[in-house]
Amino acid sequence: MSVQARAKLNLTLDVLGRRPDGYHELCMVMQSVQLCDVLEIAPGEGRVSSNLGYLPTGEKNLAWAAARRFWEALGRPQPPLDIHIEKRIPVCAGMAGGSSDAAAVLRELNRREGDPFTLEQLMKIGGQVGSDVPYCVLGGTALARGRGEVLTALPPLPRCHVVLCKPDFSISTPELFARADAVKLRRRPDTAGVLAALEAGDLEGTARRMYNIFEDVLPPRQAARVTEIKHTLIECGALGAAMSGTGPTAFGLFAGEEQARLAWAQLAETYQDVWLTETV
Ligand code: C5P
């Protein structure tokens, strides 16, 4: 039986400061989209495989780490399960692809074992695998604080179309956090405004306020590429556009499918990695 692992977007991302444990205090509004990886978990030899040859197959794969943590928390020896991941979420893109695979493994193992853990317990186990995993266990629209693991479910973002575009450079997450520590941030997201807009069911008000501080932390040439993508999205009718996570994927929210398709087509002329999806 296959399991879906959905991608996430950051409607907002703010870094509030550096913590004594080396992590950063975050405040983020997260949103799931329909774009997903598909996992098959079956008895085997305890291996991870995927349609992408270069993904780690052992301990370094978050799906594998999640399985290990699950059996550890349950206090039972880990049975030899094979996990195959059909990757559709872009890799190293700021969309929590790996974390979402880990969350899907936790949810599925919990289901198969007859729900020994509550959702909160499962999210806590997820936190041992990675900072974005607890949110991926929860899904939907949520406010994430702390390392990313202090979660509050929010009123759902009104359903809309999403165009995603990943420029062809990659960014190291620790490096970007270090850059954020070193620069004075010129702009912060209006998180309170986004929360109020979500409360009011106001898609346009939410989209207009989306912002991620890392957009301004990227090296100038890379920041310019993200800005260029955001401009194209807005020109094609996006209600708002932002970068997701530590990037480099930028996305736009659209009320109408026609405008979203236009934006997709326009970006696909220049970029290889462009997707059209919807919020969940
Ligand atoms: O928890 P995770 O392994 O996903 O984090 C990857 C890296 O991102 C950390 O090693 C750290 O450099 C950075 N990070 C951070 N503060 C957070 C989450 C991640 O500094 N809240």
Side-chain angles (χ1 to χ4, degrees):
M1 207 178 74
S2 58
V3 197
Q4 289 190 346
R6 286 184 165 133
K8 69 92 185 157
L9 298 175
N10 287 89
L11 303 183
T12 67
L13 192 159
D14 203 2
V15 176
L16 305 180
R18 203 161 158 234
R19 313 184 343 167
D21 64 3
Y23 281 87
H24 290 75
E25 198 64 21
L26 303 178
C27 181
M28 319 182 272
V29 177
M30 319 280 261
Q31 173 65 45
S32 306
V33 292
Q34 284 181 7
L35 177 68
C36 62
D37 292 343
V38 180
L39 282 75
E40 305 277 349
I41 307 172
E45 292 159 24
R47 278 204 290 247
V48 178
S49 59
S50 81
N51 58 319
L52 303 180
Y54 55 83
L55 286 193
T57 54
E59 207 162 336
K60 283 216 171 117
N61 191 302
L62 296 187
W64 195 97
R68 184 168 70 80
R69 294 286 185 181
F70 179 86
W71 297 107
E72 227 173 63
L74 202 57
R76 299 222 313 256
Q78 183 171 349
L81 291 172
D82 281 349
I83 303 171
H84 180 76
I85 309 172
E86 192 65 28
K87 264 279 164 209
R88 297 180 190 160
I89 304 172
V91 176
C92 296
M95 297 177 67
S99 302
S100 187
D101 296 341
V105 167
L106 291 176
R107 279 197 315 261
E108 179 61 9
L109 293 180
N110 199 45
R111 191 191 65 79
R112 288 186 189 182
E113 291 303 311
D115 293 323
F117 298 115
T118 62
L119 192 65
E120 281 71 28
Q121 288 171 325
L122 217 52
M123 283 157 57
K124 204 156 186 187
I125 301 169
Q128 299 170 345
V129 180
S131 299
D132 275 343
V133 181
Y135 163 73
C136 292
V137 170
L138 181 67
T141 310
L143 179 68
R145 282 173 296 186
R147 242 180 77 201
E149 86 287 20
V150 182
L151 292 157
T152 313
L154 295 172
L157 178 70
R159 198 142 174 199
C160 63
H161 301 272
V162 184
V163 176
L164 302 150
C165 177
K166 179 175 172 268
D168 59 0
F169 60 86
S170 61
I171 310 158
S172 134
T173 296
E175 194 184 310
L176 208 57
F177 273 104
R179 287 182 72 95
D181 292 335
V183 298
K184 171 130 182 58
L185 299 174
R186 286 179 295 184
R187 189 183 158 194
R188 314 297 284 265
D190 174 12
T191 309
V194 167
L195 297 182
L198 285 169
E199 197 67 51
D202 176 4
L203 174 62
E204 203 177 327
T206 305
R208 209 175 45 229
R209 291 180 175 87
M210 296 191 306
Y211 184 65
N212 175 345
I213 62 105
F214 285 127
E215 291 174 32
D216 203 27
V217 172
L218 289 173
R221 206 179 290 172
Q222 300 183 340
R225 301 276 298 284
V226 171
T227 303
E228 195 179 283
I229 294 169
K230 283 175 52 171
H231 279 159
T232 305
L233 289 162
I234 298 286
E235 264 168 28
C236 291
L239 301 172
M243 186 172 85
S244 187
T246 47
T249 305
F251 67 94
L253 303 185
F254 293 80
E257 186 173 354
E258 206 172 308
Q259 289 163 318
R261 286 197 180 280
L262 176 74
W264 181 89
Q266 188 111 343
L267 286 165
E269 281 179 17
T270 313
Y271 296 94
Q272 210 174 358
D273 298 327
V274 191
W275 296 265
L276 184 59
T277 184
E278 283 176 44
T279 54
V280 177

